[in-house]
Amino acid sequence: MPRITEECVARIKDAADVVDLVGRFVQLRRAGNSWKACCPFHAEKTPSFHVNPARQTFHCFGCGVGGDAVKFVMMFENLDYPTALRRVADMYGVTVIEEEENPELARMRRIRARVVEANTLAAEYFHKKLCRDRAAAHVRAYLKKREFGIEIAKAWQLGWAPADFRELGQLAHSKGIDDRLLAEAYLLGRGQRGLYPVFRDRLMFPICNVRGEVVGFSGRIMEEGQDPRKYVNTAETAAFRKGELLFGLFKATGPIAKAGMCVVVCEGQLDVIACHEKADIRNAVAGLGTAFTDDHAKILRKYAKKAILCYDGDNAGIKASEKTFRKLAAAGLEVYHAALPAGEDPDSLIRTQGAEALREAIAAARPYLEVRVELEKTLVKDDVNARAALIPRMADLAAEIADPNRRDVSIVDLATRLNTGLDELRTSVNDIIRARKDAPPTFDQRRPAAPVADAGYGYPEEEYGDFSEPEPMARPVVAIRLHPAIRGLISFAAGNKEAQHLLTERIEDLQEPIRALSGGIILQRLMEQLPEPGNADAWQQFVASLPPEQSAALRDLNNTAVELENVSVYVEQACNRAARDTVKATIDSLKSRIRSGNISSAEAVALMQECTDLQKMLDGDA
């Protein structure tokens, strides 16, 4: 974006009256020589937000924010400084004067402006067709069935794209918008037989940026089997970057601030609209039919400190939210999860149980990892191996939390819920963080070129091709950390046949160490398969049978046959060490529960006594 001249910046600020400008967004009341209101940037009941016309500034004595008219627009509409300047200039009729810019940038800006113009025209056309055209009766019936009335359709400019594009094409041509520009906007696509309309017989959702410009569309099919793609989104254009746009954000920026910098993240457009219009939850947004990206998370971090995931309320919905959690947590947001009833999404919950049920679910949202670990524990039940494998998975999720203090609180909570040692879990998380920092970039961020138009309005077969985005490359595999006692037992069992036999006889005694010590699950699987010591093929087959994070833990081990004297003594010592370390891990876990503060005084006393008894047992064996 070109630079606005200093003289023009001064004219914009001179033209803007801070009382008038703030009064367009907030209801002000005179208080002596100034004006006051409840602060739009934090929740309060007693007005502490003051606007001073003499100084042309605003200040909140509650949360401390303040500045001039441009700063207010920046904060209220969550804009960067140049965009806020342009917004204020538009409000007060000041012509923006810019420095000379790169010719190529100037050309791209002109194309972008024309694309937005084409989209704006199309959005108006689609909306009129939905509201007035008899042929759109099935779309209106669908919206009525979902309890989206005409007022909601108008508020979000919902529309219908007819199968025949000629009417819109003629309208565009009359406005000086030719087919090439329609293709630049991806309203027309290109195939072997010429141009074809991208959206045909679809419910249309205009996609707006934070300034409210229509930069693209998302279209939903109306009949099953009509198209294998339920939703079709605008492709990458000069104005549209799907990975950088969030549906509903242009309406939600102010409400996010008023909700204490909290955003509600849904899965789809209709859920967002239902939150806004049916439940008055106006801080809701959604992605555009794709997984959350780093760009999505960075954008939300500008507006929010806390995100509540409001996905489908079944086990699959909680797990599907994992990618979103990873992105948001890595960007520095606190991530919570709203527990919806199984099989319900925000819109269906409103229709079946009412808006208050959704509001209560969001108000009762809990930290994502807390919800996730409880779900996983329910699924694995009493399976010792599965519970052991759960620890590194939860450590991997905890490692995504960017804020170190918040991350450590989560680690303490996870250690308690997983009944594992706090120090060991903390070490595992730190190992994962270090491994990620050392890993090379894993995602190619090159953008596809915008489509180029041909002549004619054909309907080529390619329009039903695969328009899905490439999946990011796999995350770097982080090896499970082997507890030293477990590592020693694995080495004996891998390299000595007699040791295998002796450990097999003591497998019942080893169940507690297997459950409590990191890497125990690998020892369990080794004792189940018993690859022959010295047989490289057998060892490779065993390693290949393990999940990646487990096989990676064995990368520096092998099963070279080792001859030992007094094997029984070595095995006895190794088992005793594992037993002692298990008791130590149990004491550590009990102390974590005591420190968590989530138990009663009586429970804390009982746990402290248990710690004392276990420590006495250790001291007696010393």
Side-chain angles (χ1 to χ4, degrees):
M1 187 174 289
R3 178 175 177 271
I4 301 175
T5 65
E6 294 297 330
E7 295 80 7
C8 184
V9 170
R11 282 199 299 273
I12 293 170
K13 291 186 175 183
D14 288 344
D17 174 39
V18 71
V19 174
D20 173 70
L21 186 144
V22 174
R24 301 186 187 199
F25 301 93
V26 177
Q27 186 174 356
L28 294 172
R29 294 182 181 179
R30 183 179 286 279
N33 293 327
S34 65
W35 298 75
K36 68 178 182 179
C38 286
C39 181
F41 304 117
H42 80 283
E44 63 175 9
K45 295 181 179 179
T46 303
S48 59
F49 181 86
H50 288 253
V51 180
N52 189 315
R55 296 176 182 166
Q56 285 293 300
T57 60
F58 70 93
H59 181 78
C60 177
F61 293 91
C63 65
V65 302
D68 61 8
V70 177
K71 179 67 177 293
F72 180 86
V73 172
M74 286 177 65
M75 295 183 64
F76 192 87
E77 297 194 344
N78 291 288
L79 304 176
D80 57 28
Y81 183 67
T83 305
L85 277 173
R86 288 178 169 80
R87 178 89 167 88
V88 175
D90 290 343
M91 294 168 69
Y92 290 92
V94 178
T95 301
V96 174
I97 300 175
E98 301 168 343
E99 305 283 0
E100 287 188 15
E101 60 180 328
N102 183 291
E104 179 61 21
L105 289 177
R107 187 184 72 84
M108 291 304 297
R109 285 188 65 230
R110 288 194 297 270
I111 292 175
R112 183 193 177 282
R114 295 304 308 278
V115 166
V116 170
E117 180 185 352
N119 286 333
T120 302
L121 177 69
E124 295 171 354
Y125 169 80
F126 292 146
H127 181 62
K128 288 180 181 178
K129 298 299 282 186
L130 172 66
C131 295
R132 303 176 184 176
D133 199 311
R134 291 183 179 180
H138 62 305
V139 187
R140 293 192 292 269
Y142 170 79
L143 290 174
K144 183 178 180 180
K145 180 180 178 181
R146 297 287 297 264
E147 298 180 7
F148 291 93
I150 187 64
E151 293 305 318
I152 293 178
K154 288 180 178 179
W156 292 80
Q157 205 177 15
L158 302 184
W160 172 63
D164 192 336
F165 189 81
R166 285 174 294 184
E167 186 177 10
L168 177 56
Q170 291 169 1
L171 176 63
H173 295 164
S174 71
K175 303 291 184 180
I177 300 172
D178 59 18
D179 285 352
R180 185 175 183 82
L181 183 56
L182 292 173
E184 289 278 3
Y186 200 63
L187 291 164
L188 290 175
R190 183 188 66 177
Q192 291 181 347
R193 290 182 286 170
L195 295 175
Y196 63 90
V198 173
F199 305 102
R200 300 198 303 278
D201 191 21
R202 287 180 179 268
L203 172 61
M204 300 297 288
F205 300 87
I207 308 300
C208 298
N209 60 17
V210 290
R211 286 181 283 174
E213 297 174 326
V214 182
V215 294
F217 295 92
S218 181
R220 187 192 191 283
I221 59 171
M222 286 290 93
E223 297 180 8
E224 294 297 328
Q226 175 181 343
D227 188 325
R229 301 163 298 165
K230 187 174 182 179
Y231 282 89
V232 167
N233 294 309
T234 297
E236 302 284 297
T237 72
F240 187 88
R241 297 283 186 266
K242 183 166 65 170
E244 299 174 359
L245 290 164
L246 290 157
F247 183 78
L249 183 60
F250 81 105
K251 288 179 175 283
T253 51
I256 288 172
K258 291 180 180 179
M261 305 296 283
C262 176
V263 62
V264 174
V265 181
C266 303
E267 287 189 271
Q269 291 99 317
L270 288 174
D271 286 335
V272 170
I273 296 174
C275 284
H276 280 248
E277 305 299 336
K278 297 181 182 180
D280 198 31
I281 301 170
R282 299 187 180 274
N283 56 329
V285 302
L288 299 176
T290 185
F292 248 64
T293 66
D294 291 328
D295 287 331
H296 284 141
K298 289 174 183 177
I299 291 167
L300 281 185
R301 185 63 186 88
K302 295 178 183 178
Y303 312 132
K305 296 179 180 178
K306 174 181 175 181
I308 299 175
L309 306 184
C310 200
Y311 284 23
D312 290 356
D314 52 14
N315 293 346
I318 295 175
K319 290 188 174 182
S321 63
E322 179 179 317
K323 289 183 179 179
T324 306
F325 163 79
R326 288 183 183 275
K327 299 297 185 184
L328 293 173
L333 283 88
E334 291 184 73
V335 187
Y336 284 64
H337 195 285
L340 305 187
E344 300 281 13
D345 56 38
D347 181 41
S348 67
L349 180 61
I350 293 172
R351 284 186 278 119
T352 56
Q353 298 185 31
E356 187 60 30
L358 178 61
R359 287 193 288 266
E360 289 176 357
I362 291 175
R366 295 186 295 154
Y368 175 83
L369 285 185
E370 182 180 313
V371 175
R372 180 64 182 272
V373 74
E374 288 187 1
L375 167 66
E376 296 289 354
K377 286 172 63 178
T378 301
L379 295 177
V380 301
K381 298 180 180 178
D382 296 326
D383 187 327
V384 174
N385 296 335
R387 288 179 73 90
L390 178 59
I391 295 173
R393 291 212 305 275
M394 292 300 104
D396 186 66
L397 289 175
E400 296 286 3
I401 301 174
D403 182 84
N405 294 324
R406 198 180 303 145
R407 181 172 64 243
D408 203 57
V409 169
S410 294
I411 291 171
V412 172
D413 182 69
L414 285 174
T416 301
R417 295 177 186 278
L418 294 169
N419 194 26
T420 190
L422 173 59
D423 290 339
E424 191 170 340
L425 182 60
R426 185 179 284 131
T427 299
S428 296
V429 172
N430 290 334
D431 287 346
I432 293 169
I433 293 171
R434 281 193 294 271
R436 288 178 184 167
K437 287 181 179 178
D438 295 338
T442 58
F443 185 61
D444 182 1
Q445 297 182 350
R446 291 173 297 175
R447 302 189 185 282
V452 180
D454 279 341
Y457 292 160
Y459 292 79
E461 295 179 0
E462 305 93 278
E463 62 189 288
Y464 291 104
D466 182 10
F467 284 84
S468 60
E469 295 180 348
E471 284 292 318
M473 293 173 62
R475 301 174 63 84
V477 174
V478 179
I480 288 179
R481 179 176 173 269
L482 293 179
H483 187 282
I486 293 295
R487 185 184 184 88
L489 290 168
I490 290 175
S491 297
F492 285 138
N496 187 277
K497 190 69 174 178
E498 185 180 354
Q500 276 190 4
H501 176 71
L502 292 172
L503 289 172
T504 302
E505 289 183 343
R506 302 188 60 159
I507 192 65
E508 292 300 323
D509 298 335
L510 289 170
Q511 285 306 303
E512 277 301 305
I514 285 172
R515 181 194 64 78
L517 302 181
S518 179
I521 182 65
I522 302 177
L523 176 62
Q524 174 76 31
R525 294 187 174 178
L526 177 63
M527 299 311 297
E528 291 170 355
Q529 297 190 31
L530 296 177
E532 182 183 358
N535 186 329
D537 291 339
W539 178 255
Q540 291 301 321
Q541 184 176 356
F542 164 66
V543 172
S545 70
L546 301 176
E549 67 274 9
Q550 294 179 20
S551 62
L554 302 178
R555 60 167 61 102
D556 59 344
L557 291 175
N558 57 52
N559 72 331
T560 302
V562 177
E563 296 297 328
L564 297 171
E565 294 183 7
N566 300 321
V567 175
S568 61
V569 175
Y570 283 111
V571 170
E572 180 73 20
Q573 291 175 344
C575 289
N576 288 342
R577 181 186 180 188
R580 286 180 57 79
D581 287 349
T582 299
V583 175
K584 292 178 181 178
T586 302
I587 293 173
D588 194 8
S589 176
L590 294 174
K591 290 180 177 179
S592 295
R593 290 182 61 190
I594 295 169
R595 289 194 295 264
S596 71
N598 295 326
I599 58 176
S600 66
S601 298
E603 288 175 313
V605 171
L607 292 179
M608 284 189 284
Q609 183 60 52
E610 188 176 348
C611 286
T612 301
D613 293 342
L614 290 172
Q615 188 61 51
K616 286 180 179 178
M617 184 177 70
L618 279 179
D619 295 341
D621 290 341

